[in-house]
Amino acid sequence: MVSIRNKALQYLGRRDHSRQELAQKLALAYSDVSAEEINAVLDDFIERGWQSDARFAEQWVYFRSQRYGQQRLRHELQEKGVNAELIASALLQAIDNEIDTARQVWQKKFNAAPVDHQARCKQLRYLASRGFSLNVIYQVVGEADEFDGYSDGIDSI
């Protein structure tokens, strides 16, 4: 139990982890230890404030929102086992500057308006792969007026 605790502290010393992510890492490192023992250690960490899914989600969004859109961040946090309420509250900070972030990502990659349909599609796909919504993508690529009627209610390409 002590070595599990030390290994968990070692993981958390490097960066914050979600509870699920930390449990998976500990289970891989200690295959002979039961899930109940791992959960007991994680429960103790949560009580002491050493592990927090809310803090993990906020930090994840803060660092990753500089390169990725909300949809991708939401998906990544869901994969890491963070519940939907914590994800929603963490993503609130990224909503305000998503267009600016998408514009910076686009400028770094392309920095020029598309010259033909093929170039336009390439730019749209690139921003979609980074997790930005269609409304944001069309604004950045410069087609918001043309596609306004088609982008309402659509969340991704």
Side-chain angles (χ1 to χ4, degrees):
M1 185 93 129
V2 173
S3 62
I4 297 171
R5 184 181 178 89
N6 290 341
K7 190 67 166 179
L9 282 172
Q10 185 180 26
Y11 287 139
L12 289 174
R14 292 185 187 132
R15 69 167 176 88
D16 269 329
H17 290 74
S18 69
R19 181 187 173 103
Q20 177 182 317
E21 185 181 31
L22 194 56
Q24 288 173 343
K25 285 186 174 195
L26 291 172
L28 284 175
Y30 299 97
S31 58
D32 57 333
V33 175
S34 70
E36 291 81 26
E37 290 179 83
I38 292 173
N39 285 330
V41 169
L42 295 179
D43 288 340
D44 180 49
F45 278 27
I46 290 171
E47 286 177 25
R48 294 174 185 259
W50 295 349
Q51 192 281 324
S52 167
D53 278 355
R55 184 176 59 233
F56 167 75
E58 288 173 8
Q59 288 181 353
W60 188 266
V61 167
Y62 177 77
F63 288 109
R64 303 276 291 176
S65 68
Q66 298 168 15
R67 288 178 279 159
Y68 300 105
Q70 288 183 48
Q71 293 173 351
R72 179 157 177 176
L73 296 174
R74 180 177 288 110
H75 179 71
E76 289 175 348
L77 288 171
Q78 287 171 344
E79 284 183 339
K80 296 198 178 289
V82 178
N83 74 37
E85 293 172 5
L86 294 176
I87 293 172
S89 67
L91 286 176
L92 284 177
Q93 63 184 347
I95 290 173
D96 295 336
N97 58 356
E98 188 175 26
I99 291 175
D100 294 333
T101 302
R103 201 170 279 126
Q104 290 171 357
V105 168
W106 176 82
Q107 284 177 338
K108 186 175 182 180
K109 177 74 174 179
F110 300 104
N111 201 27
V115 293
D116 59 6
H117 182 67
Q118 185 177 8
R120 177 174 288 117
C121 289
K122 181 178 180 179
Q123 292 181 12
L124 294 172
R125 281 190 308 271
Y126 177 76
L127 289 175
S129 73
R130 303 294 249 176
F132 296 102
S133 68
L134 276 179
N135 291 334
V136 170
I137 293 169
Y138 289 137
Q139 278 185 315
V140 170
V141 178
E143 296 182 358
D145 293 337
E146 184 178 336
F147 290 96
D148 255 354
Y150 298 105
S151 64
D152 292 342
I154 299 174
D155 292 327
S156 64
I157 291 179

